[in-house]
Amino acid sequence: MKRLALAALTASALPTPTLAQRTPAPPPVMIPAEVTRLRDAALSDTTAWDIVEGLTTEVGQRLAGTEAEARARAWAVRRLTALGFSNVRIEPYRMPVWERGAESAEILAPFPQKLTLAALGHSGATPTEGLTAEVAFFSRMTDFQAAPDSAIRGRIVYIGNAMPRTQDGSGYGQYGTARFTGPALAARRGAVAIVIRSIGTDHHRFPHTGTTDFPDGVRPIPAAALAVPDAEQLERIAARGRPVRMKLVLTPRMVGLRESGNVIAEVPGSDPSAGIVLVGGHLDSWDLGTGAIDDASGLAITTAAAKRIMAAGQPRRTIRIVWFGAEEVGGLGGAAYAKAHADERHATASESDFGADRIWRFQVNLPASAAPIADRLQAALAPLGISRGRDKGGDGTDIAPTLALGTAAIDLNQSGWDYFDIHHTPDDVLDRVDPATLRQNVAAWTAMLAVVANAPESIDPVTNR
C-alpha cells in the first residue's frame, strides 16, 4: 500500500507534457514523382559512357592551348549538337602555352641507375645535354622551408611529402604544396632544379604531372615529379649517407600565345528571370594519358544528366552546360567564362571534376530563400546512397570565379579513395572508368537538376561564401 501511494505521489509530481513535447516529428520531405522517375531511369544511362569513350578514343590527350585541344572543341560542338542541345558555340580566348619536351633522370653516383619522372607544367628547361648536380634531400615540405639557403644553392632539391589516401581528397591540398609552391621557392633560394615525390597515392611506376607556378620575377627552373617507387628508391639511396649526384634532362618550352576556349550548350528554360543553372567540367587534359578520369567523365556525367532533363520537357530554369578549356594549367577557362557572363543571373553553379567513382555526399551553399531545395535534394539523393554534408558547397576550379560573384553552389562529391592513384598520370585512360559508378553519377546529377532547375523558390545570391 505504501509503495502504491508513493508511486501515485511521484507521478502527480511529474510535469505534464507540453503541447510542443507531444508534437510528432515533421513528415518526410516529399519530392515530385517525376524526379524519382528521372533519377531511377538514369541508372540505365548510356550517353555518358558514349561521351567518355568517344572523346578519349577520337581525340585522346588534350593539352590546353594545343592543336589537340582545338580538335576536342570541334568534337564537342558536333557531339553536343547531335545530342539536341541549343545555342551550342565556342567562346575563344588566348593563353600562353607550355609544351612538354624530352625528360629523363639518372643517378650518376653513388649507385648509377635510371629514374622515371615527368616535367611539371610551366617547368623550366635544362640545357639540351642535361644538367648534373648534387641532390639536397628533404623528406617533407616543412623541412625544405626550414633549411638554410646554403643547403639548397647550386643543388637539385628533392622534396618527399607522401600523400595519404582519403575519401574527400583533402590530402591533396596539404601535401600538394611541394608541387604548387615548392619549385618557385627553390628557384628563389638558388636551386638549379627540383624533383618531388609525385602527389599521388599509388605505388605504380607512373609519375604524376600537374601545374606549378612561377610568379613574375622568378625564373622557372627545371621541375619534375618522380614516380612514387622511384622517389622511395632515391630516398633509400640517400639514407646510405653518401652524396648523390643526379643528371636531369628536361626540355619543355613556352610557345607563345595560342587559342583555347569554352564550349557551351543549353537547355533553355521557361522563366529567364529565374536564373541559369550552370554545370560542366573541363575539356582539356594532361598529355600523359587520355584524360578519361580527369575530366572526360565529368563532362559526360553532367551532359548526360542535362540531356535527360531536356528529354523530359522544358525546365523552369535554363541549364547551361560548359566544357571549360585550360583548367589544368590554371583555371583559365573558368576565369574567361565568369568575365564574359558576369552580367547574367546565375542561380547555381556545380561542376564534376573528381573522376567517376560513386557520389557519396552532397553539400550546398544556398540562400535562406532556397533552403527547402536542400531538403528536397536530400530526399532525392538518399536512395542512391548519398548523404548531406555539414560544410558549405562551393568546390571547383572552373566555377570558382562564378561563385565569387555570389552564385549559390551545389556540390556532388565523388569518393576519392582511388582518384589520386590515377590523377595526372599515363594511367588516366578509359578502362579506369567503371560504367556502373558512372551511371550512379548520372542518376545523382539528373536528380539534382530535376530538383533545382524546376524549384519554385527564388535562388538569390549568397553572401556567406
Side-chain angles (χ1 to χ4, degrees):
M1 291 292 292
K2 291 182 180 179
R3 286 196 296 270
L4 289 174
L6 180 61
L9 179 63
T10 304
S12 65
L14 292 175
T16 302
T18 65
L19 179 62
Q21 288 171 324
R22 294 196 300 266
T23 301
V29 174
M30 302 301 293
I31 58 173
E34 180 70 354
V35 174
T36 299
R37 185 190 69 79
L38 286 168
R39 178 198 66 207
D40 294 349
L43 289 170
S44 300
D45 180 79
T46 59
T47 298
W49 177 263
D50 291 343
I51 292 172
V52 178
E53 191 277 340
L55 182 59
T56 57
T57 301
E58 297 172 22
V59 180
Q61 302 93 339
R62 307 172 296 281
L63 189 65
T66 66
E67 178 273 339
E69 194 198 29
R71 281 191 287 113
R73 288 193 296 277
W75 187 95
V77 168
R78 292 193 300 271
R79 182 57 62 96
L80 291 166
T81 301
L83 288 170
F85 292 107
S86 300
N87 305 322
V88 180
R89 74 259 190 200
I90 298 172
E91 295 186 351
Y93 51 86
R94 304 280 285 177
M95 60 167 285
V97 176
W98 176 92
E99 289 186 347
R100 188 179 307 279
E103 44 196 26
S104 65
E106 58 182 313
I107 298 169
L108 301 181
F111 311 121
Q113 54 193 277
K114 296 183 182 299
L115 300 174
T116 302
L117 83 174
L120 300 178
H122 299 153
S123 166
T126 67
T128 304
E129 67 277 10
L131 176 155
T132 300
E134 186 175 331
V135 180
F137 285 89
F138 303 99
S139 297
R140 295 176 297 272
M141 182 69 178
T142 52
D143 295 338
F144 167 61
Q145 292 168 320
D149 288 354
S150 59
I152 295 166
R153 192 175 301 113
R155 292 180 169 89
I156 297 172
V157 166
Y158 167 81
I159 302 176
N161 257 24
M163 179 181 166
R165 189 181 298 274
T166 59
Q167 187 174 24
D168 63 359
S170 55
Y172 185 58
Q174 178 181 355
Y175 291 86
T177 55
R179 192 193 90 209
F180 307 149
T181 62
L185 182 56
R188 286 192 183 102
R189 302 179 70 187
V192 296
I194 180 172
V195 293
I196 65 169
R197 174 183 173 129
S198 279
I199 309 303
T201 51
D202 64 303
H203 275 79
H204 302 297
R205 206 173 183 197
F206 290 135
H208 296 241
T209 189
T211 296
T212 190
D213 291 316
F214 291 96
D216 290 343
V218 178
R219 182 182 65 83
I221 60 174
L226 289 163
V228 171
D230 292 69
E232 293 178 342
Q233 175 79 335
L234 187 58
E235 291 173 5
R236 285 190 292 270
I237 292 172
R240 299 302 200 261
R242 297 166 61 180
V244 177
R245 289 185 64 77
M246 177 185 289
K247 178 180 179 181
L248 288 176
V249 176
L250 298 172
T251 63
R253 62 190 184 118
M254 299 298 297
V255 296
L257 292 176
R258 291 184 180 174
E259 188 172 280
S260 184
N262 298 321
V263 183
I264 297 177
E266 292 175 341
V267 180
S270 61
D271 184 359
S273 67
I276 296 163
V277 176
L278 173 65
V279 299
H282 65 85
L283 181 57
D284 66 309
S285 77
W286 283 107
D287 52 334
L288 302 183
T290 58
I293 291 291
D294 186 19
D295 183 35
S297 294
L299 300 176
I301 290 161
T302 53
T303 302
K307 182 179 186 300
R308 288 185 166 272
I309 302 301
M310 177 175 63
Q314 188 176 32
R316 180 189 176 204
R317 292 180 174 85
T318 292
I319 299 171
R320 179 174 291 166
I321 308 103
V322 183
W323 292 21
F324 293 95
E327 186 272 349
E328 295 290 9
V329 294
L332 304 181
Y337 175 86
K339 182 178 180 180
H341 298 274
D343 294 336
E344 295 180 270
R345 184 181 175 210
H346 290 79
T348 64
S350 310
E351 74 175 87
S352 179
D353 184 17
F354 201 50
D357 208 339
R358 292 185 65 85
I359 294 172
W360 64 285
R361 181 182 67 181
F362 82 96
Q363 304 194 118
V364 304
N365 190 12
L366 293 167
S369 62
I373 293 174
D375 295 332
R376 293 200 294 277
L377 285 174
Q378 185 169 353
L381 295 172
L384 297 173
I386 301 169
S387 61
R388 183 173 178 176
R390 298 178 180 179
D391 296 330
K392 290 180 183 177
D395 185 36
T397 298
D398 285 316
I399 61 172
T402 298
L403 295 178
L405 300 175
T407 302
I410 298 172
D411 296 347
L412 297 176
N413 301 140
Q414 293 139 316
S415 174
W417 284 120
D418 300 320
Y419 180 68
F420 290 102
D421 289 355
I422 300 167
H423 180 250
H424 293 181
T425 75
D427 211 23
D428 184 359
V429 292
L430 181 63
D431 65 356
R432 298 299 176 265
V433 179
D434 181 344
T437 60
L438 191 71
R439 291 192 293 268
Q440 188 258 6
N441 276 254
V442 176
W445 279 84
T446 299
M448 185 275 282
L449 289 177
V451 170
V452 175
N454 292 300
E457 294 87 358
S458 174
I459 306 178
D460 302 321
V462 297
T463 57
N464 59 341
R465 189 152 310 283

